[in-house]
Amino acid sequence: MRFRRPLILAASALTVLAVGGCTSDKPSTTTAADTGADTAQTAAASAAPASGTGEQSKFFVQADYDAQLAMRSQTPEGPADKPWEQAIAPEMVSTADYKKDGPYNLCFSNAAVDNPWRQVGWKTMQAEVALHKEISKLTALDAEGKDDKQISDISELQAKGCDALIVSPNTTATLTPAVKAACEKVPVIVFDRGVETDCPVTFIKPIGGYAFGADAAEFLVEKVPAGGKILALRISPGVDVLETRWSAAKVAFDASGLQVVGVEFTDGDAAKAKGIVNDYIQRHGKLDGVWMDSGATSVAVAEAFEDAGMPVPPMTGEDQQDFLRKWKDDGLTAVAPTYPTYQWRTPIIAALKILKGEEVPKVWNLPQPKITQETLDRYLQPNMPPLHYALCGCEGMPGFPEQWGGKKG
């Protein structure tokens, strides 16, 4: 069974990358005429207005932007208490051709475990495997963030008698040929980051970067008075999930009365982020808000204002415990968009469904909640380490919290 409709051209199926693994692979762009998108929206997205946001990213795809923002308000299908099993607007495909008797040998080609987000996810995936007696073995290879190693890993795994192969690609275009070759031999599940082929049985991801960036920017538009000065902090250029986060933020800021006084890259370094904030405070006297495409340096940014003897303005973060605790303890005005680590459970569940001949979504769009002041207490976990991600979906799993570095409360 093969599906030949190009996955990357489907609205909302733009390749997605986690912050933990960067790539400069560029997806195809789509014009408003191609997508039938609203002309006014396209003008807002592509113009270079005087708000300080600069030109729109080459990664911006209007159809995917529209689809992701629409999905934020759609009700997902699936168990209410298991968001990792839910799907937004799923288009189901048959897996009857892959049905076979267990027990099953699953294989996993992992891009890397080189940051806290990926480490939390990997622990969660292993805990999911332990829940299923029909899985005899999970063989996993770590590509260590290297394309050439992952290409070799995928080839090696195919010789290990895998019943299904799960892939989290290090980069998009470069890994596509290896994934396509694997699809000819074994059912493939891709998650977290996409590839430029629709041969995988299912592609699993949260809503995406546009939703993340829009959630953060819309919060600042609401909280900061017109004319307020916004500093945008990004990790690095040329990374598509981060580019789409910024693309969506740019659309929101361009349509607002806010002034983006700077767009700077931090390389994910706390000291560098602090230095940038200090420079802008000295240059502009004050800042009225800070937008961030990742929460890794959010605590450092808040501390920069405190070190300068200034109140922390409205800012954005993510679901790491250190930021959530800072937010709660210091009464910050903040929001935390998320890229849930519970998505690491879904590929195991999908693999078992496929091998049992059950239908799965072709593109499995998982819910992507944001943490607000009203929901903050729900995600605070005092017994967990500072770099633990709250949306792991792992709280009820055997070994929690110790296996994730936490302590029993």
Side-chain angles (χ1 to χ4, degrees), residues 173-222:
T174 306
L175 268 296
T176 295
V179 171
K180 290 178 70 175
C183 286
E184 297 299 322
K185 300 179 180 180
V186 64
V188 175
I189 298 99
V190 170
F191 84 103
D192 164 30
R193 317 162 183 190
V195 287
E196 295 177 342
T197 174
D198 67 350
C199 78
V201 182
T202 185
F203 172 36
I204 299 162
K205 65 179 184 66
I207 295 175
Y210 294 112
F212 186 109
D215 281 346
E218 290 166 0
F219 172 79
L220 293 178
V221 171
E222 175 187 350

Side-chain angles (χ1 to χ4, degrees), residues 90-95 201-202 349-354 358-364:
E91 295 184 9
M92 309 301 286
V93 295
S94 172
T95 66
V201 182
T202 185
I349 294 167
L352 293 177
K353 284 182 174 292
I354 291 166
E358 300 175 13
E359 288 187 337
V360 295
K362 181 59 178 172
V363 179
W364 197 323

Side-chain angles (χ1 to χ4, degrees), residues 212-294:
F212 186 109
D215 281 346
E218 290 166 0
F219 172 79
L220 293 178
V221 171
E222 175 187 350
K223 297 296 183 180
V224 179
K229 299 176 181 179
I230 303 297
L231 173 62
L233 296 179
R234 303 177 58 189
I235 293 180
S236 59
V239 181
D240 44 4
V241 71
L242 303 179
E243 291 285 351
T244 55
R245 291 178 184 187
W246 171 240
S247 292
K250 172 182 163 53
V251 173
F253 290 140
D254 288 350
S256 74
L258 301 180
Q259 180 185 4
V260 178
V261 296
V263 182
E264 301 286 350
F265 295 100
T266 69
D267 300 321
D269 182 84
K272 185 173 182 179
K274 264 191 175 183
I276 292 170
V277 173
N278 287 331
D279 289 345
Y280 273 81
I281 289 174
Q282 293 177 15
R283 189 182 309 174
H284 294 280
K286 71 166 186 172
L287 293 171
D288 301 298
V290 180
W291 179 94
M292 305 181 70
D293 66 2
S294 169

Side-chain angles (χ1 to χ4, degrees), residues 1-345:
M1 178 174 60
R2 295 291 180 265
F3 302 90
R4 297 302 179 192
R5 186 181 68 256
L7 182 60
I8 59 169
L9 296 183
S12 82
L14 180 65
T15 52
V16 176
L17 303 179
V19 174
C22 301
T23 177
S24 59
D25 295 333
K26 295 184 179 182
S28 300
T29 55
T30 305
T31 66
D34 293 333
T35 63
D38 181 80
T39 302
Q41 276 189 313
T42 304
S46 60
S51 66
T53 59
E55 297 288 341
Q56 183 56 279
S57 170
K58 294 179 181 179
F59 287 77
F60 183 83
V61 179
Q62 184 75 45
D64 295 316
Y65 167 85
D66 293 340
Q68 287 190 21
L69 266 60
M71 277 192 275
R72 296 185 299 172
S73 61
Q74 294 176 350
T75 302
E77 299 178 18
D81 59 343
K82 297 179 180 180
W84 51 91
E85 293 186 19
Q86 295 176 5
I88 301 172
E91 295 184 9
M92 309 301 286
V93 295
S94 172
T95 66
D97 290 350
Y98 301 115
K99 184 177 181 180
K100 64 189 301 184
D101 295 332
Y104 304 115
N105 175 24
L106 303 184
C107 295
F108 175 36
S109 173
N110 190 7
V113 285
D114 56 1
N115 64 52
W117 186 90
R118 303 196 70 81
Q119 291 157 13
V120 171
W122 174 225
K123 291 172 184 175
T124 304
M125 176 182 281
Q126 293 175 86
E128 180 65 37
V129 169
L131 295 176
H132 302 280
K133 294 181 180 179
E134 63 268 46
I135 299 175
S136 60
K137 186 178 182 181
L138 173 66
T139 303
L141 296 179
D142 176 10
E144 301 173 355
K146 302 172 183 176
D147 284 346
D148 55 351
K149 186 177 186 307
Q150 188 165 33
I151 291 169
S152 177
D153 288 347
I154 291 173
S155 178
E156 179 181 342
L157 287 169
Q158 292 173 60
K160 292 186 179 294
C162 306
D163 293 308
L165 173 63
I166 298 166
V167 181
S168 175
N170 187 55
T171 62
T172 300
T174 306
L175 268 296
T176 295
V179 171
K180 290 178 70 175
C183 286
E184 297 299 322
K185 300 179 180 180
V186 64
V188 175
I189 298 99
V190 170
F191 84 103
D192 164 30
R193 317 162 183 190
V195 287
E196 295 177 342
T197 174
D198 67 350
C199 78
V201 182
T202 185
F203 172 36
I204 299 162
K205 65 179 184 66
I207 295 175
Y210 294 112
F212 186 109
D215 281 346
E218 290 166 0
F219 172 79
L220 293 178
V221 171
E222 175 187 350
K223 297 296 183 180
V224 179
K229 299 176 181 179
I230 303 297
L231 173 62
L233 296 179
R234 303 177 58 189
I235 293 180
S236 59
V239 181
D240 44 4
V241 71
L242 303 179
E243 291 285 351
T244 55
R245 291 178 184 187
W246 171 240
S247 292
K250 172 182 163 53
V251 173
F253 290 140
D254 288 350
S256 74
L258 301 180
Q259 180 185 4
V260 178
V261 296
V263 182
E264 301 286 350
F265 295 100
T266 69
D267 300 321
D269 182 84
K272 185 173 182 179
K274 264 191 175 183
I276 292 170
V277 173
N278 287 331
D279 289 345
Y280 273 81
I281 289 174
Q282 293 177 15
R283 189 182 309 174
H284 294 280
K286 71 166 186 172
L287 293 171
D288 301 298
V290 180
W291 179 94
M292 305 181 70
D293 66 2
S294 169
T297 61
S298 294
V299 171
V301 167
E303 291 173 347
F305 287 96
E306 295 169 346
D307 293 346
M310 303 182 70
V312 180
M315 65 177 297
T316 69
E318 211 168 347
D319 59 318
Q320 284 185 194
Q321 288 299 315
D322 60 349
F323 176 67
L324 301 183
R325 175 52 57 191
K326 180 76 172 174
W327 179 358
K328 175 71 172 181
D329 290 349
D330 295 355
L332 302 183
T333 299
V335 72
T338 69
Y339 194 69
T341 47
Y342 58 59
Q343 67 183 281
W344 289 69
R345 300 187 66 167

